[in-house]
Amino acid sequence: MERLLSYFDRKITRRMRLTFLITFFSGLFVHLYIITNGFVNRDTMYNYYSTQNMSGSGRFTLTYLAGISSYFDIHLVNGLLSIIYLALSVTLLVELLDIHSKLAISFTAILYTAFPTVAGILTYMFTADGYHLASLLAVLSIFFIKKINNPYISILIASLAIYVSIGSYQANLTLVLTLLLILFVVDMLDKNKFPLSFYVKSFASVFIGLGIYVIHFKWYEKYSEKGLTSYKGINESGNINVEHITRSLETSSNEMKSFLFNSGDFVNTFEKFNLVYFILLFIMFVIYIIVQKVNLINVIGLIVVIVLTPYITHIIFFISPGVEYHILMKQNLALLFIVGVVILDRFIKHTSITITSLNIVFTFSIFLVAFNNVIITNIYYEQFEDVNKHNEALMTQIAYDIRHLDGYNGDLKIITQGTLRNHLSVRDRYKKVPHNVGISSTIAYDTNTFVYYMNNEIGLKNEVKRNIREFIEKHKEEINSLNTWPNQSSMKIIEDTIVINFE
């Protein structure tokens, strides 16, 4: 054991230690709001204790990664583990991109940990640590390729890491490919000699890792009793044709413009700062190419990569025709901002007045993007708190009404009709930030989630009524005669069941 610890002590450099500490404490500061509060969303209702077995969604390995922190929804543990995994990811990114200055390391840490995707995943705290560990494995796979000299061992380990990463969340494929794209850009800028063997090993690992996943996917699709879910187009994966590819080319481009620039509407600072950043990034690119005298072939390579960026970063569109991209799938886009940090790091000691002046302006633009992401993250968390407060107040009132029904007891079952959405108005207040799929105004959206919320958050003991359709059909006239809550006649005990009408 001592030899093993001594080995790691020698391998872990001062830069790695510094990067980890900067990222951990900055990440903890940014996300402390949600880590120290027990906020819940609609999916939490099914996951107060859950094995996270999502094989039906093609996430075959998530149960093992999420199981490290147990299958309980422990906010503090899951949150701290998530920050640790993020800190390790940034540490590896800094090593891979060879970033040296403390300023550039700090920017990398904040840009990656405060990117809106991280906040989106942390709203699903019951599984957040599993997702962030899967993202870490995606970055780690490329690190193995870079650092392990034996090509066979490096490909083997990297392939397995990619399989487990994609097997926990398919969007991690885009993280791996985007990281390779960014490394390609950096190599084109820094080196006249292209490191071909690294990219051969990398794409071999991606091909093998993805191949293992596809085999597992097809085997499950064919032999599993439950089969694949239709959610987000999972069951359509692999159904590819020319029409689909053509449509995906347009969709990928539109998706990137929509997320980064709101398709040109620029209604909030997120999009405005992004526009300034990418304009300055282009200028810094051109200056760097001129100053470093990057050869023509490398410049052509850079142009090709820039043109392909929307398609590589959204490659899932080409694999699954029915997929819907949302904020949880966009962590790879954080790397597009880290490219600017790499150029900043290379220019940071340049003595030219012109370049130094541009560097200061570019530094300020990166700072604005990073700072704005921190603000957006905490707006999400304030919104999440509002959602939880409004739902708790509403459900407490409903629980009070239930308990004061004549003939009420804890053995009665519950059925709800309609939705609570009309009784909540939180979502109208937060239209100036990118949409976060993890935050919806209504936590309890059907009978099951209503009862689970009452059981776990309010303390009501009543259970869900089984065979709901048959019961409703049997008592259709009586149920239809109920008024809408909060009217006193919106609730009624019918046989062994409390029926509540919300609309």
Side-chain angles (χ1 to χ4, degrees), residues 319-335:
I319 297 173
S320 182
V323 73
E324 295 177 30
Y325 258 83
H326 51 68
I327 202 165
L328 307 188
M329 304 169 71
K330 298 179 184 289
Q331 185 63 24
N332 62 315
L333 297 184
L335 299 177

Side-chain angles (χ1 to χ4, degrees), residues 204-224:
S205 300
V206 171
F207 181 79
I208 294 170
L210 183 59
I212 297 171
Y213 174 78
V214 169
I215 291 170
H216 193 166
F217 186 92
K218 292 298 183 183
W219 178 87
Y220 186 89
E221 183 180 34
K222 185 174 182 178
Y223 295 107
S224 171

Side-chain angles (χ1 to χ4, degrees), residues 452-487:
Y452 296 158
Y453 189 101
M454 286 294 187
N455 294 162
N456 292 283
E457 301 295 326
I458 305 298
L460 211 64
K461 295 181 180 179
N462 305 84
E463 297 179 358
V464 176
K465 175 69 176 179
R466 304 302 171 191
N467 302 316
I468 292 177
R469 289 184 180 178
E470 290 85 344
F471 182 88
I472 291 174
E473 186 63 31
K474 180 180 178 183
H475 301 280
K476 185 186 297 184
E477 290 186 12
E478 204 169 356
I479 292 172
N480 289 340
S481 68
L482 294 174
N483 286 316
T484 302
W485 190 88
N487 191 293

Side-chain angles (χ1 to χ4, degrees), residues 5-22:
L5 292 173
S6 178
Y7 172 80
F8 281 113
D9 187 56
R10 291 194 305 271
K11 292 294 182 180
I12 299 173
T13 64
R14 182 177 178 276
R15 178 172 63 177
M16 294 172 80
R17 291 186 177 95
L18 177 66
T19 304
F20 179 86
L21 290 173
I22 289 173

Side-chain angles (χ1 to χ4, degrees), residues 111-131:
L111 286 168
Y112 195 82
T113 59
F115 200 69
T117 296
V118 175
I121 291 173
L122 288 176
T123 59
Y124 298 86
M125 190 64 80
F126 56 87
T127 193
D129 56 319
Y131 276 67

Side-chain angles (χ1 to χ4, degrees), residues 178-390:
T178 306
L179 178 54
L180 287 173
L181 181 147
I182 300 307
L183 288 170
F184 180 87
V185 168
V186 173
D187 284 336
M188 290 292 98
L189 291 171
D190 285 352
K191 301 172 184 176
N192 287 322
K193 186 177 180 181
F194 185 67
L196 181 61
S197 62
F198 166 74
Y199 290 98
V200 169
K201 289 188 291 183
S202 295
F203 282 104
S205 300
V206 171
F207 181 79
I208 294 170
L210 183 59
I212 297 171
Y213 174 78
V214 169
I215 291 170
H216 193 166
F217 186 92
K218 292 298 183 183
W219 178 87
Y220 186 89
E221 183 180 34
K222 185 174 182 178
Y223 295 107
S224 171
E225 293 181 4
K226 295 182 179 180
L228 294 166
T229 178
S230 60
Y231 180 70
K232 301 297 184 185
I234 293 296
N235 60 330
E236 296 180 24
S237 297
N239 299 330
I240 303 168
N241 53 47
V242 175
E243 181 185 354
H244 163 63
I245 292 172
T246 304
R247 187 171 65 250
S248 297
L249 288 169
E250 182 180 0
T251 306
S252 299
S253 179
N254 291 340
E255 185 69 28
M256 175 168 276
K257 287 187 291 186
S258 175
F259 179 70
L260 294 176
F261 310 118
N262 199 27
S263 299
D265 288 340
F266 304 108
V267 297
N268 59 50
T269 51
F270 177 74
E271 294 132 13
K272 292 171 185 175
F273 286 163
N274 288 347
L275 177 65
V276 173
Y277 165 79
F278 281 106
I279 290 173
L280 289 172
L281 177 62
F282 176 75
I283 294 170
M284 297 299 283
F285 252 118
V286 173
I287 292 172
Y288 192 89
I289 288 168
I290 295 170
V291 171
Q292 295 298 112
K293 298 179 181 178
V294 177
N295 66 48
L296 182 60
I297 294 175
N298 286 22
V299 172
I300 293 171
L302 286 170
I303 293 171
V304 171
V305 164
I306 291 169
V307 171
L308 293 177
T309 294
Y311 314 114
I312 294 173
T313 54
H314 293 82
I315 200 166
I316 302 297
F317 276 129
F318 297 89
I319 297 173
S320 182
V323 73
E324 295 177 30
Y325 258 83
H326 51 68
I327 202 165
L328 307 188
M329 304 169 71
K330 298 179 184 289
Q331 185 63 24
N332 62 315
L333 297 184
L335 299 177
L336 301 183
F337 294 91
I338 294 173
V339 172
V341 177
V342 175
I343 293 178
L344 173 67
D345 185 60
R346 302 296 193 268
F347 267 149
I348 210 156
K349 292 183 179 179
H350 210 283
T351 56
S352 166
I353 295 175
T354 304
I355 293 176
T356 301
S357 300
L358 278 170
N359 222 26
I360 291 170
V361 174
F362 192 45
T363 300
F364 186 61
S365 77
I366 295 173
F367 169 79
L368 288 176
V369 170
F371 179 76
N372 193 50
N373 284 351
V374 173
I375 298 300
I376 288 172
T377 291
N378 282 274
I379 290 172
Y380 283 150
Y381 296 156
E382 183 187 79
Q383 179 186 8
F384 204 22
E385 183 178 34
D386 279 357
V387 166
N388 275 258
K389 283 180 177 178
H390 283 230

